[in-house]
Amino acid sequence: MSLNLTDSVMDQLLDALVEKGWFEWPKAVSEALCQQLLAEAEFHDQQGQLQTAGVGRGDIHQLNHDIRRDKIRWLDGSSNAQQTYLKQMADLQYQLNRALFLGLFEYESHFAIYKPGDFYKKHLDSFRGRANRMVTTVLYLNPHWQPDWGGELVIYNEDSSAQLTSVIPKIGTMMIFMSEQIPHEVLPTQQPRVSIAGWFRCNTSIAGVIDPAK
Ligand code: OGA
Ligand code: MN
């Protein structure tokens, strides 16, 4: 089960990231691996092992129910499925660095479950000059998603004046975008919606302290 990263997909991905800052990649990750990751996320949900997600990081971390309603669990590589997925993301990181010289040095990611009615209002994942999230990935794990269930990821242009695309959170699809550049939003979902959101980070040290992950 390896990433569906052919030369042709890689060319499309690189062109899209450079030219417009985002790329929708259908069938990026095999359905079998997505099913295993989905089962894991659902298990953690049933066990009450998901946490309320925050907005911002470190000192400015604040719970904000008005902005986002999803529940999350950070991946820690503790299962075969997670290890396989994280290995695939490491391959992608290598390819992105090789082609774009982005200096990505690590990947952090979490499961996210949105229950009916949940959303994530328009936001950026990173703020220019300060943060070190460079490239966002979102992998969707939902088999048989129906278009009228809502829960689309909406991508806006840089000044948020226009909607550029909306992505159906269908199993295997991965959305990749520049974290500082692309405003985006998760519309309210009508059915449980499961994904893995992740960020390739570059290494910034602030006042001599290496910025910790998460
Ligand atoms: C996020 C996010 C989008 C999605 O977690 O920051 O924007 O489609 N997720 O789940
Ligand atoms: Mn986001």
Side-chain angles (χ1 to χ4, degrees):
M1 285 191 288
S2 69
L3 200 63
N4 187 18
L5 194 57
T6 59
D7 287 351
S8 137
V9 169
M10 196 63 207
D11 286 349
Q12 288 173 48
L13 166 61
L14 295 172
D15 283 353
L17 284 183
V18 169
E19 277 162 28
K20 51 182 191 174
W22 57 272
F23 181 64
E24 182 180 347
W25 184 3
K27 300 193 166 115
V29 173
S30 79
E31 200 157 324
L33 180 57
C34 289
Q35 291 280 5
Q36 289 174 22
L37 293 164
L38 173 64
E40 228 179 275
E42 287 173 338
F43 174 79
H44 291 307
D45 184 22
Q46 283 151 18
Q47 300 294 309
Q49 293 167 338
L50 302 180
Q51 60 191 93
T52 307
V55 179
R57 28 187 324 155
D59 291 344
I60 57 165
H61 186 96
Q62 53 174 300
L63 298 177
N64 200 329
H65 201 59
D66 293 335
I67 295 178
R68 67 186 294 186
R69 297 273 167 96
D70 55 327
K71 293 233 170 58
I72 67 164
R73 183 180 172 94
W74 291 95
L75 271 69
D76 57 9
S78 61
S79 67
N80 286 336
Q82 286 191 32
Q83 284 163 25
T84 303
Y85 178 67
L86 293 172
K87 165 81 173 56
Q88 295 182 359
M89 292 301 100
D91 289 349
L92 181 58
Q93 176 178 316
Y94 174 80
Q95 300 285 348
L96 290 173
N97 278 336
R98 210 170 67 148
L100 301 177
F101 307 103
L102 288 173
L104 309 175
F105 93 117
E106 70 175 359
Y107 182 71
E108 59 180 2
S109 55
H110 63 57
F111 291 111
I113 300 196
Y114 292 74
K115 293 290 169 66
D118 288 350
F119 55 80
Y120 194 159
K121 295 259 172 78
K122 194 195 295 175
H123 65 282
L124 286 173
D125 285 347
S126 189
F127 296 94
R128 245 180 253 285
R130 182 149 55 86
N132 52 12
R133 286 177 167 178
M134 302 279 292
V135 178
T136 301
T137 62
V138 191
L139 172 67
Y140 299 106
L141 304 179
N142 310 289
H144 321 300
W145 191 267
Q146 301 300 309
D148 62 355
W149 287 354
E152 296 97 338
L153 171 68
V154 179
I155 298 289
Y156 295 90
N157 66 353
E158 270 195 81
D159 67 9
S160 288
S161 59
Q163 193 171 309
L164 298 182
T165 192
S166 85
V167 180
I168 292 180
K170 188 178 162 209
I171 191 164
T173 296
M174 179 175 277
M175 190 65 185
I176 304 182
F177 54 88
M178 302 308 293
S179 308
E180 295 180 340
Q181 184 188 331
I182 302 292
H184 56 283
E185 168 176 24
V186 179
L187 298 181
T189 185
Q190 293 175 24
Q191 295 287 326
R193 173 194 194 271
V194 186
S195 59
I196 297 177
W199 297 272
F200 293 110
R201 303 168 74 237
C202 65
N203 193 358
T204 57
S205 55
I206 298 164
V209 180
I210 300 293
D211 188 25
K214 294 168 199 170

